Amino acid sequence: MTKHLLVLCLLLLFSVVTRAQFLTDMIDTTTSLGRGMFSMYKKYDALRFSGYIQPQFQWIGSKGAESYAGGDFPEAVDNRFMLRRGRLRVDYERYNEEGMPVVQFAFQFDGTERGVFIRDFYGRFFENKWNVLSLTTGMFARPFGYEVNRSSSDRESPERGRMSQILMKTERDLGAMLSFEPMRKDHPLRNLRIQAGLFNGQGLAGPSDFDSHKDLIARISLKPVPLNAQGWRLSASVSCLYGGMQQFTRYIYRSGTAGNGHTGFRLDSAAGNEGRIAPRHYYGADAQLRIPNRKGHTEFRAEYIRGTQTSTALGSETPGEIPVADDGSRLPLYIREFDGAYFYFLQHLGSEKHQVALKYDWYDPNRELDGGQIGQPGSNTTVADVRFDTFGGGYLYYFNPHLKVVFWYDLVRNETTDLEGYTSDIKDNVFTCRLQYRF
């Protein structure tokens, strides 16, 4: 797979070099016909390369700790150098005579010491009668929430919150999406965006779709609008994911009174369970407020998500394939009610080069239980039911548009439970120092 992707990258690079030489030859042509052709080509077509790399050093509170700050640490490791992301993106866009987009293609790869992976591979077609609708198909970011759709190169914190990573692992999925987004600046609804699409459901967590059920995802967004003469700007959105996964087992654990009378999970083993659709329903809202300063700005962000998640006893992530045990038997499914949120405070320090950021996020995979109920004998609860709260903060220095450095510390707190290893707070606080090179 990696070899095929490298060959594809080389072919794309070769085609771009060839195209650049073709355009250079046209520029050198002194005839009016040649100049006219080049002018027309440049006006209607755009080919853009962009990318970034994020080398970083990290330290964590204990060797082998599990972490959402770039992945778990190896068993004997409490500090590491790593290349968190290495992205290369190619965009092609074509415009009509009025300057309205007609079609867009996007290809993005992520290459690190862990391998080369596809991140975006999609095409987008725009209708040009009203210039308000477009259709996107392929592999692209799910239209849900703010943090999931904010680029890792623009985000101030090194990573998305635990909630975003678990519910929307890799952020992307295969599907088709219809968008309502007026392109003309004089359109009365120019600040409104409505997106709705159907997706496989498991994202990039698995090799392919494993059931016929699709997720419906929709988002209604208000683009940044001015609030006053001082330049305050507000943006917001509401999102919904209505989906699920096929139950390949009859054994389903649902919240309720367990066999010992404690609150936990009760087993539903009805023969009719197999083949039904277990729910994955998310509902979210987010808002962003930006206040300009004399040099830079102050910004507040918030997002809240709650709903129903189907996963396994091992974790609350959506399975990437049919869950099976080591012996090949189908694992039972767990259906949990969850919620989570994050809050950002961003402030420039007298210059756009200096910025501080504070962030708090929580993810409660089972909001029907508190820590004291998790791990009780016979309750069928696991580490997948433990709530985590993360308090993060850092300093960012922007050398120029192509280089920035981030110093960030995450203070991670878990619920105290009766589960082994979680009877007290585990040592998983993380320090990250990251450089980002961008072009």
Side-chain angles (χ1 to χ4, degrees):
M1 179 66 177
T2 300
K3 292 181 179 178
H4 293 163
L5 290 176
L6 291 175
V7 170
L8 181 57
C9 288
L10 290 174
L11 290 175
L12 285 171
L13 182 60
F14 175 76
S15 66
V16 170
V17 172
T18 304
R19 185 168 182 163
Q21 182 62 49
F22 170 72
L23 292 178
T24 301
D25 293 342
M26 294 182 70
I27 294 173
D28 291 339
T29 302
T30 57
T31 64
S32 60
L33 178 60
R35 291 182 184 275
M37 288 175 62
F38 177 70
S39 175
M40 181 181 298
Y41 192 87
K42 184 177 180 181
K43 180 179 180 180
Y44 295 140
D45 294 77
L47 182 65
R48 295 182 290 108
F49 272 83
S50 61
Y52 59 95
I53 60 174
Q54 295 176 336
Q56 66 185 29
F57 173 79
Q58 290 184 304
W59 172 87
I60 198 165
S62 60
K63 293 182 178 180
E66 297 180 356
S67 176
Y68 281 83
D72 299 341
F73 282 67
E75 182 178 358
V77 175
D78 64 1
N79 66 85
R80 64 187 177 189
F81 285 101
M82 67 182 301
L83 184 60
R84 181 62 182 95
R85 297 175 181 88
R87 301 287 174 87
L88 174 63
R89 178 172 174 135
V90 183
D91 286 89
Y92 168 79
E93 296 170 346
R94 182 163 181 83
Y95 299 86
N96 62 16
E97 295 85 350
E98 298 179 346
M100 294 291 108
V102 177
V103 67
Q104 176 193 9
F105 300 96
F107 308 92
Q108 183 173 206
F109 302 90
D110 184 25
T112 69
E113 73 276 13
R114 300 176 297 279
V116 179
F117 306 94
I118 294 173
R119 280 296 174 261
D120 289 298
F121 246 70
Y122 67 84
R124 187 179 181 188
F125 171 75
F126 300 82
E127 60 82 19
N128 289 133
K129 183 175 181 180
W130 300 285
N131 293 303
V132 297
L133 297 176
S134 65
L135 176 67
T136 307
T137 58
M139 182 186 300
F140 53 96
R142 300 172 173 109
F144 191 102
Y146 181 83
E147 191 176 52
V148 167
N149 284 273
R150 186 166 177 80
S151 170
S152 300
S153 62
D154 297 327
R155 193 179 57 248
E156 295 78 14
S157 63
E159 304 298 335
R160 294 175 176 88
R162 183 181 297 254
M163 170 184 68
S164 299
Q165 293 188 53
I166 289 177
L167 298 179
M168 299 286 177
K169 188 174 182 179
T170 69
E171 301 88 52
R172 296 157 176 85
D173 203 351
L174 282 164
M177 177 179 71
L178 185 65
S179 301
F180 172 86
E181 185 175 6
M183 296 295 174
R184 297 187 183 278
K185 294 182 179 181
D186 59 350
H187 196 285
L189 299 178
R190 61 186 178 278
N191 291 318
L192 179 66
R193 179 193 298 123
I194 302 175
Q195 301 165 298
L198 291 175
F199 299 84
N200 279 346
Q202 86 281 9
L204 305 185
S208 61
D209 199 10
F210 59 81
D211 63 15
S212 296
H213 191 74
K214 298 294 180 284
D215 287 354
L216 170 64
I217 307 178
R219 185 185 185 204
I220 302 176
S221 306
L222 175 68
K223 296 181 182 180
V225 295
L227 297 181
N228 54 32
Q230 287 71 42
W232 291 33
R233 300 179 70 85
L234 174 69
S235 58
S237 75
V238 292
S239 305
C240 173
L241 185 153
Y242 195 86
M245 60 174 288
Q246 183 174 332
Q247 298 174 172
F248 291 92
T249 174
R250 60 186 290 186
Y251 301 104
I252 310 298
Y253 284 90
R254 307 177 189 274
S255 297
T257 302
N260 61 354
H262 290 293
T263 300
F265 289 94
R266 56 180 176 82
L267 175 61
D268 179 0
S269 58
N273 284 337
E274 192 165 355
R276 291 180 178 174
I277 301 300
R280 291 179 59 242
H281 301 161
Y282 310 162
Y283 308 94
D286 63 86
Q288 304 80 42
L289 175 65
R290 174 175 287 204
I291 304 171
N293 305 142
R294 187 167 57 181
K295 293 184 178 180
H297 62 265
T298 302
E299 186 167 351
F300 300 91
R301 298 178 193 154
E303 183 168 0
Y304 176 74
I305 303 175
R306 70 181 298 171
T308 305
Q309 172 74 335
T310 295
S311 54
T312 67
L314 305 177
S316 60
E317 290 182 353
T318 298
E321 53 190 4
I322 300 174
V324 296
D326 293 338
D327 60 4
S329 61
R330 302 285 172 82
L331 290 176
L333 297 180
Y334 278 65
I335 300 176
R336 302 177 174 94
E337 301 296 320
F338 74 89
D339 75 347
Y342 67 76
F343 303 89
Y344 276 88
F345 168 75
L346 308 170
Q347 178 65 60
H348 283 111
L349 302 176
S351 167
E352 291 188 351
K353 287 182 174 292
H354 303 275
Q355 187 178 36
V356 294
L358 299 176
K359 180 182 179 182
Y360 165 63
D361 73 75
W362 90 76
Y363 177 63
D364 189 348
N366 193 337
R367 58 186 179 85
E368 297 183 335
L369 299 178
D370 58 35
Q373 297 171 309
I374 300 173
Q376 290 289 321
S379 65
N380 299 312
T381 53
T382 71
V383 65
D385 300 296
V386 178
R387 169 177 169 149
F388 282 81
D389 294 72
T390 304
F391 304 85
Y395 166 75
L396 297 84
Y397 180 73
Y398 299 83
F399 293 89
N400 53 54
H402 308 290
L403 176 63
K404 74 176 179 181
V405 63
V406 181
F407 300 96
W408 192 273
Y409 189 78
D410 276 326
L411 184 68
V412 186
R413 292 290 181 261
N414 58 269
E415 282 184 305
T416 300
T417 73
D418 285 342
L419 291 172
E420 182 179 357
Y422 292 85
T423 55
S424 62
D425 186 57
I426 58 179
K427 297 180 179 180
D428 55 353
N429 299 339
V430 187
F431 169 74
T432 301
C433 176
R434 172 185 293 176
L435 278 171
Q436 176 175 287
Y437 304 87
R438 180 179 185 178
F439 69 92

